[in-house]
Amino acid sequence: MTSAPDRAPDRAPDRADGRAAAALPLRPELAGLEPYGAPQLDVPVLLNVNENPYAPSEQVVADVAAAVAEAARGLNRYPDRDFVALRTDLADYLATESGVRLDPAQVWAANGSNEIMLHVLQAFGGPGRTALSFAPTYSMYPEYARDTSTAWVVGRRSEDFSIDPEHARAAIAEHAPSVVLLASPNNPTGTALPAGTVRVVLDAAARVPGGCVVVVDEAYGEFRRTGTPSALELLAEHPHLAVSRTMSKAFGLAGARVGYLAASTALVDALRVVRLPYHLSAVTQAVARAALAHAPELMAQVGSLREERDGLVAWLRARGFVACDSDANFVLFGTFDDRQAVWQGLLDRGVLVRVTGPEGWLRVSVGTPAETAAFRAALVEVTGR
């Protein structure tokens, strides 16, 4: 769904002098498409785009402001195009968060994990090559493929939204992709992948003629439940593996647009070839580093969001809804004969959730206790449960 502010004009307006505007040589596969975007509506409870509901503390705000002020004094110069200090800080954070120590040269960053994925497809996709994933999954993946003229194919997830290892092995053998994209935890289902499944995919990818890069997208990795492993633990054994993360979710920095990736130095070096010069501004680098200095404080919020998520799953099930087990900061729930009507009913009561995933399902982000209470009350009114 797209709200009015997200929509682009269908065509350029006529010229003021009365002559028709010149035709634009738009790529045929882009004709008639609208920009990606969830609805941006002014309602009291926003639970549709998986944001962290907690704003940065005043101390974080002060330290970010000071870091930006310092960066501003040098804005007449280009930033460090390889952002070595930020990569070092990210490597230190991952060592603490996952227990995996990486060299800073194994870390890459960009303007959100979206740009990270685009770099991957620019480097390893392209005409005559294929990217593979398993649906339902993140709706931007096929757009990355489209934008890089990479063929897009999907296998299917099982009824419980897991990936059957043998199905994955067969799909890779059949399509011989150059890139496999695995979201874990998966969006929109919240499903995390067992390490054994990832190993099967890595083994199958290693057999693809010409090579195949496997990206495990851990945008919601910090929210995983205790005992759920990170694919970072597999990096040392698999040079064709990349693990992507973001600072938008757990760090509450969606507005800063910082994503990053961990991989072998050879894979990272390939991304350095396709990135635009100085793509990560000095201000962005300063904001990210200031936030990373507060990682312990920000990760404390993650624990409370996990508790809120698990409580929401239990409440939905007690009310007779189906709710997926989630390792993310959202819950996929249903099922509804008319999910659009339920979505609209919630919106009419000031609560915005997301219409996404298989038919009949809705996705709700984990909010503050007050926001979750508002969602519960609205859902009871709309459904009568």
Side-chain angles (χ1 to χ4, degrees), residues 51-145:
E51 295 162 322
N52 188 320
Y54 296 105
S57 70
E58 288 305 311
Q59 187 58 59
V60 173
V61 170
D63 288 355
V64 166
V68 170
E70 182 61 30
R73 295 185 176 92
L75 288 181
N76 58 310
R77 304 293 185 185
Y78 286 113
D80 177 359
R81 62 173 171 260
D82 287 322
F83 41 93
V84 176
L86 174 57
R87 291 160 79 182
T88 299
D89 289 352
L90 286 167
D92 289 342
Y93 164 71
L94 289 176
T96 300
E97 193 274 336
S98 69
V100 177
R101 168 54 68 181
L102 302 171
D103 188 282
Q106 293 180 262
V107 179
W108 188 241
N111 295 283
S113 57
N114 304 103
E115 189 177 34
I116 288 287
M117 292 295 186
L118 194 60
H119 285 170
V120 170
L121 270 293
Q122 286 175 316
F124 302 110
R129 295 189 170 193
T130 298
L132 167 69
S133 193
F134 299 87
T137 193
Y138 185 36
S139 58
M140 277 297 296
Y141 290 163
E143 298 199 19
Y144 304 142

Side-chain angles (χ1 to χ4, degrees), residues 2-379:
T2 310
S3 63
D6 292 322
R7 295 176 64 92
D10 292 332
R11 61 182 179 84
D14 291 343
R15 289 167 57 104
D17 59 10
R19 289 180 291 166
L24 299 174
L26 185 67
R27 287 165 46 190
E29 65 269 26
L30 301 182
L33 297 181
E34 295 180 356
Y36 170 88
Q40 291 182 314
L41 305 176
D42 185 14
V43 298
V45 181
L46 298 171
L47 299 175
N48 68 323
V49 289
N50 305 336
E51 295 162 322
N52 188 320
Y54 296 105
S57 70
E58 288 305 311
Q59 187 58 59
V60 173
V61 170
D63 288 355
V64 166
V68 170
E70 182 61 30
R73 295 185 176 92
L75 288 181
N76 58 310
R77 304 293 185 185
Y78 286 113
D80 177 359
R81 62 173 171 260
D82 287 322
F83 41 93
V84 176
L86 174 57
R87 291 160 79 182
T88 299
D89 289 352
L90 286 167
D92 289 342
Y93 164 71
L94 289 176
T96 300
E97 193 274 336
S98 69
V100 177
R101 168 54 68 181
L102 302 171
D103 188 282
Q106 293 180 262
V107 179
W108 188 241
N111 295 283
S113 57
N114 304 103
E115 189 177 34
I116 288 287
M117 292 295 186
L118 194 60
H119 285 170
V120 170
L121 270 293
Q122 286 175 316
F124 302 110
R129 295 189 170 193
T130 298
L132 167 69
S133 193
F134 299 87
T137 193
Y138 185 36
S139 58
M140 277 297 296
Y141 290 163
E143 298 199 19
Y144 304 142
R146 178 202 68 198
D147 292 347
T148 56
S149 298
T150 305
W152 174 250
V153 295
V154 289
R156 303 302 306 177
R157 288 177 176 258
S158 303
E159 188 173 339
D160 64 355
F161 302 126
S162 63
I163 295 177
D164 178 73
E166 292 311 310
H167 171 66
R169 193 194 307 274
I172 292 170
E174 176 185 357
H175 297 289
S178 59
V179 178
V180 175
L181 299 174
L182 302 175
S184 180
N186 184 46
N187 183 4
T189 66
T191 313
L193 293 174
T197 300
V198 178
R199 285 193 175 94
V200 168
V201 171
L202 287 165
D203 178 70
R207 301 170 189 272
V208 173
C212 174
V213 169
V214 176
V215 183
V216 178
D217 180 357
E218 294 187 348
Y220 302 93
E222 285 92 344
F223 296 99
R224 65 191 187 276
R225 289 171 290 177
T226 301
T228 302
S230 168
L232 290 165
E233 298 173 14
L234 305 177
L235 277 176
E237 309 166 39
H238 302 283
H240 59 307
L241 169 64
V243 181
S244 68
R245 291 283 187 98
T246 182
M247 295 186 73
S248 294
K249 310 300 182 182
F251 278 88
L253 285 189
R257 309 305 302 127
V258 183
Y260 58 103
L261 172 148
S264 66
T265 54
L267 197 155
V268 169
D269 285 346
L271 305 185
R272 294 173 63 215
V273 172
V274 299
R275 62 99 165 93
L276 294 173
Y278 311 107
H279 72 288
L280 208 58
S281 77
V283 170
T284 299
Q285 293 179 43
V287 170
R289 295 194 67 204
L292 284 163
H294 288 271
E297 171 190 340
L298 295 169
M299 290 308 104
Q301 295 175 343
V302 168
S304 65
L305 289 169
R306 285 197 198 103
E307 293 177 3
E308 194 73 21
R309 172 200 66 203
D310 294 343
L312 180 56
V313 169
W315 181 86
L316 285 164
R317 290 173 176 170
R319 288 279 175 170
F321 299 101
V322 180
C324 295
D325 288 330
S326 177
D327 281 277
N329 69 333
F330 55 82
V331 177
L332 189 72
F333 70 102
T335 56
F336 304 102
D337 293 333
D338 187 351
R339 65 175 175 178
Q340 190 67 35
V342 176
W343 177 87
Q344 186 63 55
L346 293 172
L347 181 60
D348 291 343
R349 290 161 177 80
V351 178
L352 180 61
V353 300
R354 188 75 182 270
V355 178
T356 188
E359 190 61 38
W361 295 85
L362 294 170
R363 190 192 70 198
V364 59
S365 307
V366 178
T368 64
E371 290 171 335
T372 299
F375 163 73
R376 291 176 178 177
L379 187 62

